[in-house]
Amino acid sequence: MSNFSRHIAIVGAGLVGSLLAIYLRKRGYRISVFERRPDMRSNRLDSGRSINLALSNRGIRALHEVGLEDLLRQNAIPMHGRMMHDVRGQLTYQPYGTDGQYINSVSRSGLNKVLMTEAERQGAQLHFEHRCSQVDLNNTTLTFQHDPTHTHAFDYIIGADGAFSAARGMMQFSDRYDFSQDYIEHGYKELTLPAGDGHVFQMEKNALHIWPRERYMLIALPNPDATFTCTLFFPFEGDPSFATLATPQAVSEFFKNQFADIADRMPHLQDEFFANPTGSLVTMRCYPWVRNRTLLIGDAAHAIVPFFGQGMNAGFEDCRVLNDLLTQYSDRWEDVLPAFQQLRKPDADAIAQLALDNFVEMRDLVADADFLLRKKIEARLHQLYPSQWIPLYSMVTFHDNIRYSDAYAIGQRQKKIMDRVMATPGIAQTWESVNFESIVNQLN
């Protein structure tokens, strides 16, 4: 059967589903994409959820392969490092990598619109307001809520419908299916820091801003209109928590005490705090990702918390890896599907754990003197031995040729080595004269 005669359904027209539609159309497949929501290009969807994303090398590599890298870079804002804000408003800057390495602040909706439009331009058929109610894994058919009496048959179905995937929901009823979902005790609330007079940025434009406060944190990402999208990651219960910030006065007092350097510059704080939804944060793991001729991809297979900025990038890398395997196996899907899940499952588990670990780093450690010293030592190691000691963050974010699972394993070895270095008496005074070569050699 030629690619042109194979009809593939993609459930979900989000970032991953739309990008995958582009990849598969370029291979000649007939593609139908089904999305439960209205078309965001002509309808205003709910605000206050996941407005900004951090696009890094893994995602950029996939966009480059489908010819969209240059277009999407035009509206992206480079972020070269973290800018930490302490309670007094004092700033500490930490570069993400070496010169020329940065992540990009991009609009989720803006990126999704570009991908949808390109998928249609390539010939994919997008169907909106089609909520999937049934996936028949044995017969490879889909049924939709608005038309429950008709089923639609396909050669393959790919579930790209997010963390609460309908496609995965059907798999969960099959025999010997492993599934877990783990919520953290924190939720998130999105807020806005407006542009200053004259439409200028009120803070450093090319940085990801973090207010680390141990049990919680606020972050801010820049937008092209000189605003910042702020996200408060905060416990649901306890003191303080979303439960205790129950009145406009409580919100104002809390922000003035904890985020004094920007609280007075957020005129819509109270309105946004109560109008925008409070989102939950979940890690979802499942296996297998394949049942007969149905495949899960992106968040449907491996939803993670956002603290390494890799959710979208991992999903885009899924698309690239699947495309590579189709090339490797000459579009023999019966070989591609098992190879894909075996290859990507260890990487999905690794980035899930890395994302959870990075939350602790961001909220607790980035303002810690010992942590900053550790990062200085690691930066010097990388400077002296660039191919032998690559910091974990750089491996994940800037080195798309290193698998997540390999980065995690190397990072664990580096951590044990650095723990011993940091336990050296007087290291804060003597770190510049330590034997860096002997440290690097411990990795071997």
Side-chain angles (χ1 to χ4, degrees):
M1 184 185 294
S2 72
N3 291 0
F4 293 102
S5 61
R6 288 176 174 171
H7 192 183
I8 299 176
I10 299 175
V11 182
L15 297 168
V16 172
S18 296
L19 177 62
L20 185 59
I22 298 169
Y23 264 113
L24 295 179
R25 274 302 301 156
K26 285 178 174 287
R27 302 191 72 90
Y29 293 101
R30 180 185 172 196
I31 301 298
S32 295
V33 184
F34 300 95
E35 170 58 48
R36 64 180 175 81
R37 299 168 299 177
D39 188 343
M40 64 167 57
R41 294 167 296 179
S42 54
N43 293 269
R44 181 180 174 85
L45 302 181
D46 291 342
S47 62
R49 287 192 185 274
S50 302
I51 296 171
N52 281 80
L53 297 164
L55 177 65
S56 58
N57 286 34
R58 294 173 196 270
I60 290 169
R61 181 175 174 184
L63 294 173
H64 174 77
E65 288 191 351
V66 299
L68 291 175
E69 177 187 355
D70 292 341
L71 175 62
L72 289 164
R73 280 189 185 272
Q74 292 173 11
N75 292 313
I77 297 180
M79 298 182 293
H80 296 273
R82 297 166 167 167
M83 185 72 78
M84 279 80 75
H85 301 241
D86 71 13
V87 176
R88 301 183 307 277
Q90 299 296 309
L91 303 179
T92 304
Y93 180 73
Q94 181 188 355
Y96 278 130
T98 57
D99 288 344
Q101 291 182 327
Y102 55 86
I103 60 177
N104 300 272
S105 176
V106 296
S107 160
R108 171 185 284 273
S109 61
L111 177 54
N112 208 157
K113 290 172 185 177
V114 168
L115 292 172
M116 285 179 178
T117 299
E118 179 63 15
E120 286 186 327
R121 193 183 74 81
Q122 292 288 340
Q125 299 295 312
L126 271 63
H127 305 274
F128 296 95
E129 299 182 79
H130 276 62
R131 182 183 289 272
C132 179
S133 60
Q134 181 70 35
V135 181
D136 187 327
L137 302 173
N138 294 319
N139 297 305
T140 323
T141 63
L142 294 175
T143 306
F144 300 97
Q145 255 183 13
H146 73 284
D147 188 12
T149 60
H150 290 83
T151 59
H152 306 265
F154 302 92
D155 293 296
Y156 293 93
I157 295 170
I158 301 177
D161 48 340
F164 300 96
S165 166
R168 191 195 60 241
M170 298 301 166
M171 287 191 184
Q172 288 172 228
F173 289 104
S174 61
D175 187 39
R176 294 194 305 143
Y177 196 80
D178 291 328
F179 171 75
S180 68
Q181 63 180 35
D182 299 288
Y183 287 91
I184 65 172
E185 64 180 13
H186 293 71
Y188 72 92
K189 177 86 68 175
E190 294 211 337
L191 307 163
T192 307
L193 176 67
D197 293 340
H199 298 284
V200 299
F201 287 91
Q202 296 202 58
M203 302 186 296
E204 168 58 42
K205 170 184 177 182
N206 297 116
L208 190 156
H209 295 260
I210 307 177
W211 290 257
R213 299 295 184 264
E214 296 188 355
R215 287 192 63 241
Y216 54 89
M217 68 177 180
L218 181 73
I219 69 169
L221 278 72
N223 299 308
D225 62 0
T227 65
F228 284 85
T229 299
C230 305
T231 308
L232 176 66
F233 296 101
F234 207 49
F236 279 104
E237 289 92 24
D239 187 13
S241 67
F242 284 117
T244 62
L245 298 188
T247 66
Q249 182 179 356
V251 170
S252 293
E253 290 179 356
F254 175 76
F255 269 74
K256 286 178 181 177
N257 287 332
Q258 295 298 320
F259 314 117
D261 54 338
I262 62 163
D264 290 337
R265 291 183 278 171
M266 301 176 73
H268 307 297
L269 170 62
Q270 295 179 356
D271 292 339
E272 288 184 339
F273 193 92
F274 292 102
N276 289 347
T278 303
S280 57
L281 298 164
V282 65
T283 300
M284 291 190 175
R285 298 177 177 90
C286 66
Y287 200 77
W289 298 351
V290 176
R291 278 287 192 243
N292 297 327
R293 289 180 292 163
T294 298
L295 166 71
L296 303 177
I297 197 167
D299 282 357
H302 49 76
I304 63 176
V305 293
F307 304 115
F308 221 119
Q310 287 297 304
M312 169 187 63
N313 293 288
F316 282 6
E317 190 171 67
D318 280 352
C319 297
R320 180 185 64 77
V321 170
L322 181 63
N323 187 62
D324 288 347
L325 290 171
L326 286 165
T327 299
Q328 178 182 337
Y329 289 101
S330 302
D331 291 86
R332 297 191 306 274
W333 285 77
E334 65 273 17
D335 296 324
V336 168
L337 295 183
F340 176 78
Q341 65 175 358
Q342 289 164 18
L343 183 65
R344 290 298 285 169
K345 174 60 172 172
D347 293 329
D349 288 344
I351 192 56
Q353 188 59 51
L354 286 166
L356 289 165
D357 293 346
N358 212 46
F359 183 32
V360 177
E361 177 174 312
M362 291 177 74
R363 78 180 193 218
D364 294 359
L365 301 178
V366 292
D368 180 78
D370 285 345
F371 173 81
L372 296 175
L373 175 59
R374 178 186 288 247
K375 291 299 181 184
K376 279 185 183 180
I377 297 172
E378 289 204 76
R380 181 66 60 84
L381 285 163
H382 182 51
Q383 180 186 19
L384 295 172
Y385 305 94
S387 62
Q388 295 167 266
W389 188 287
I390 304 172
L392 176 60
Y393 185 88
S394 293
M395 283 191 286
V396 169
T397 307
F398 302 122
H399 292 263
D400 53 57
N401 59 322
I402 300 176
R403 294 179 58 181
Y404 287 129
S405 52
D406 291 338
Y408 180 77
I410 295 167
Q412 290 296 104
R413 295 205 302 273
Q414 289 177 336
K415 181 179 182 299
K416 290 180 181 177
I417 294 167
M418 286 302 302
D419 285 346
R420 292 194 292 267
V421 172
M422 294 301 295
T424 305
I427 187 65
Q429 290 74 41
T430 63
W431 73 270
E432 292 187 89
S433 59
V434 301
N435 189 335
F436 289 100
E437 184 177 5
S438 70
I439 296 173
V440 168
N441 287 340
Q442 293 178 55
L443 271 178
N444 299 327

